[in-house]
Amino acid sequence: MATSLKVAVIGAGLAGLTAARELQRESHQVVVFEKFHRLGGTWAYDPRVESDLLGVDPNRDIVHGSLYYSMRTNLPRELMSFTDFKFSEKVYCDPRKFPCHDEVLKFLEDFASTFELTKLIRFNTVVTEVEVVDSEILTKFVVESKTNGVHSVEVFDAVVVCNGHNTEPQLPTDIPGIETWSKNQMHSHNYRVPAPFLDQIVVIIGSGPSATDLSREIATVAKEVHMSSRSALVNTPKLVKCNNLWQHSKINYISADGTMTFQDGVSVEADIILYCTGYKYHVPFLKTNGMVCVRDKRIGPLYKHVFPPRLAPRLSFVGIPEKGFTFLTMELQSRWIANALSRKVLLPSEDEMLSDVDEYYQEMEEKGLQENHTHSLVKKPQYLEFLYAQSGMVMEKQIKDVIEYFTHCYVMAGFDGYMDAFLEKYGI
Ligand code: FAD
């Protein structure tokens, strides 16, 4: 017989909304805690920036969002859809295939109101602590929260962590001489508009979507923009698209006078460093007595990036994988969790799940992959297949075709051209 549980979902971004929907579908009693005054998480653009632009001061007032004003999606609508609620069939304010962030927010708001999720959300309510009370016969969670300063404590049967992982900057630790840098530096988490870079010589570290987008935007106002990335080849300084934007290899060293020299031999006297180097996992409220360990780029042990074996299925995480097709991945993870909680789906034993995680870590080691690749889905199409199998669903042919074509465009044209390549076939 199906079991109905009292479940706390932490966060009302994409992950929290999909979790709430699937849990509700399984008749669980759901409370969604959301510290912000509106839903959408990442997609609720927030123009504020933090007092510490690098985002490392533990005493700063944290701004959750990391979107920049001009940001457009880096995936087409077809790949930002739910299986039965398609972004490609909706238009709110921007009909493009790769729309602006406001269009995504409106889609999520529509999703929440269509499936009556908004009434489950407690806005302006931050979860300050989740303590696991775990014995041989019973697992419960004591959830402490604050709403406008008022403290509450409640007990839940299960917790789904959906607090996002694009807020705590990850900074490089291997730049020789960085400790002597006395000029400005910031992380892309605190970038909103290009105006502050007017007439500056800017060094951007990173090579992902944010580095690519921001370098082009900043080049429209800055004097010079120099991108530096580990993956760029040594000895290949190249002018990319704009006449004041260059691509370099890694920084070799920074001299005491602030001159920065890249491994390709070029030196610049930069005014500011902008780090587009990604984010760390951060779950400050979770107290599990060591059963779950959160380290910069790894949360573990997690069976298939979702369940900590010792506490499965009562504790789970949605949205931990990086660089995948987030909407689909989160929907399928949520369905798996909801079904596991109502015992429609059985998980392997604790020992089997732990062995699976151990094997996965060992495989990474054999391939020479660092810990920061733990939750990356790059080149792992089998993960989505696994999730489909858990939820008893089959990937639609149309979605399969779009994924294949999108991946093909990306491999052929890279960041510089994949959007145009995709639009050529699918139209704007
Ligand atoms: P979030 O959206 O971060 O939501 C987490 C929520 O939890 C927030 O509302 C937060 O306020 C709340 N919260 C956190 N802590 C607490 C607490 N203690 N108590 C209560 N509430 C709490 N994905 C795509 O699919 N396509 C794209 O084009 C794309 N572009 C991106 C561009 C940028 C610059 C960034 C940063 C991300 C992008 N992503 C993109 C990834 C995007 O983050 C995911 O699509 C998705 O929004 C993540 O959802 P989430 O719910 O896991 O986290």
Side-chain angles (χ1 to χ4, degrees):
M1 202 181 71
T3 319
S4 170
L5 299 175
K6 187 177 173 197
V7 188
V9 172
I10 302 169
L14 170 60
L17 294 173
T18 53
R21 188 199 171 192
E22 296 303 329
L23 290 163
Q24 183 169 250
R25 206 202 297 255
E26 278 300 301
S27 304
H28 296 296
Q29 306 145 56
V30 186
V31 176
V32 182
F33 293 87
E34 171 51 57
K35 65 181 179 184
F36 205 37
H37 62 271
R38 63 190 304 183
L39 59 78
T42 293
W43 298 102
Y45 173 73
D46 189 341
R48 295 173 303 157
V49 294
E50 295 169 353
S51 48
D52 170 20
L53 295 179
L54 257 193
V56 289
D57 178 356
N59 299 317
R60 73 198 190 280
D61 275 341
I62 292 176
V63 174
H64 185 83
S66 298
L67 286 194
Y68 33 99
Y69 183 71
S70 65
M71 191 258 168
R72 281 176 70 182
T73 67
N74 52 35
L75 291 178
R77 281 169 186 268
E78 284 78 357
L79 300 180
M80 293 181 68
S81 285
F82 304 100
T83 52
D84 58 354
F85 195 78
K86 310 263 189 206
F87 200 17
S88 45
E89 292 167 8
K90 314 262 172 192
V91 173
Y92 306 93
C93 59
D94 180 353
R96 293 175 296 180
K97 277 254 178 270
F98 295 86
C100 68
H101 50 79
D102 208 30
E103 178 81 355
V104 185
L105 180 63
K106 288 189 163 68
F107 175 58
L108 290 178
E109 286 170 345
D110 191 3
F111 176 76
S113 83
T114 304
F115 298 106
E116 300 186 4
L117 306 175
T118 317
K119 63 176 191 232
L120 307 176
I121 306 172
R122 285 191 204 154
F123 289 104
N124 298 309
T125 303
V126 60
V127 169
T128 50
E129 189 164 308
V130 173
E131 196 189 350
V132 183
V133 182
D134 184 43
S135 72
E136 283 303 313
I137 45 164
L138 192 74
T139 302
K140 292 272 178 194
F141 298 85
V142 181
V143 175
E144 295 192 29
S145 63
K146 261 189 194 162
T147 311
N148 301 322
V150 180
H151 180 241
S152 305
V153 182
E154 279 161 278
V155 177
F156 287 86
D157 301 311
V159 168
V160 188
V161 178
C162 303
N163 68 327
H165 50 83
N166 288 309
T167 298
E168 282 289 316
Q170 165 89 349
L171 293 166
T173 51
D174 59 350
I175 303 177
I178 189 66
E179 63 288 350
T180 63
W181 178 258
S182 57
K183 293 192 247 175
N184 292 330
Q185 46 182 343
M186 67 184 281
H187 188 275
S188 57
H189 171 59
N190 283 308
Y191 177 95
R192 298 292 179 271
V193 290
F197 297 86
L198 182 70
D199 296 333
Q200 305 270 298
I201 298 179
V202 187
V203 167
I204 297 184
I205 300 179
S207 58
S210 298
T212 311
D213 271 3
L214 300 190
S215 59
R216 284 178 196 160
E217 178 162 280
I218 291 170
T220 61
V221 301
K223 194 165 165 193
E224 294 174 17
V225 177
H226 299 268
M227 293 175 76
S228 164
S229 93
R230 265 194 289 246
S231 49
L233 295 173
V234 180
N235 295 327
T236 55
K238 68 168 187 184
L239 213 56
V240 247
K241 290 208 170 160
C242 328
N243 61 7
N244 60 344
L245 170 55
W246 288 268
Q247 170 75 67
H248 303 280
S249 46
K250 265 178 86 167
I251 295 172
N252 207 9
Y253 58 88
I254 300 177
S255 310
D257 66 0
T259 309
M260 212 174 275
T261 306
F262 303 98
Q263 282 182 353
D264 56 28
V266 175
S267 292
V268 296
E269 283 180 34
D271 299 306
I272 180 163
I273 305 173
L274 172 62
Y275 297 93
C276 297
T277 44
Y279 298 89
K280 306 192 251 198
Y281 294 101
H282 191 57
V283 196
F285 48 80
L286 191 60
K287 306 277 176 289
T288 61
N289 259 330
M291 285 182 270
V292 185
C293 177
V294 181
R295 234 170 18 209
D296 295 2
K297 295 296 283 178
R298 174 178 281 178
I299 302 189
L302 279 190
Y303 176 62
K304 306 293 185 200
H305 313 286
V306 174
F307 293 109
R310 177 74 191 88
L311 297 165
R314 296 294 178 111
L315 181 65
S316 57
F317 293 75
V318 176
I320 296 304
E322 296 187 308
K323 300 181 182 142
F325 301 110
T326 42
F327 280 64
L328 201 48
T329 303
M330 292 192 200
E331 180 183 343
L332 295 170
Q333 288 181 328
S334 299
R335 192 168 289 208
W336 188 26
I337 292 166
N339 285 342
L341 286 173
S342 46
R343 301 211 190 126
K344 277 192 179 165
V345 164
L346 279 186
L347 296 176
S349 70
E350 182 184 336
D351 284 348
E352 285 167 332
M353 286 191 273
L354 277 172
S355 310
D356 186 88
V357 179
D358 282 346
E359 262 170 46
Y360 176 59
Y361 289 171
Q362 207 173 325
E363 206 179 291
M364 282 183 61
E365 230 175 281
E366 282 160 14
K367 289 182 182 158
L369 292 173
Q370 311 270 319
E371 203 170 295
N372 60 0
H373 288 272
T374 305
H375 302 296
S376 164
L377 292 188
V378 172
K379 296 189 189 154
K380 289 179 192 154
Q382 65 278 19
Y383 184 66
L384 265 187
E385 286 161 22
F386 171 85
L387 290 178
Y388 266 105
Q390 302 318 301
S391 58
M393 292 166 71
V394 178
M395 191 187 280
E396 287 168 74
K397 177 162 180 345
Q398 193 206 355
I399 295 294
K400 201 170 176 187
D401 290 348
V402 180
I403 289 183
E404 265 170 27
Y405 191 68
F406 178 83
T407 311
H408 163 79
C409 292
Y410 192 76
V411 171
M412 298 305 290
F415 280 133
D416 276 347
Y418 77 91
M419 268 195 198
D420 290 342
F422 185 88
L423 294 175
E424 213 166 280
K425 173 163 174 177
Y426 282 89
I428 54 166

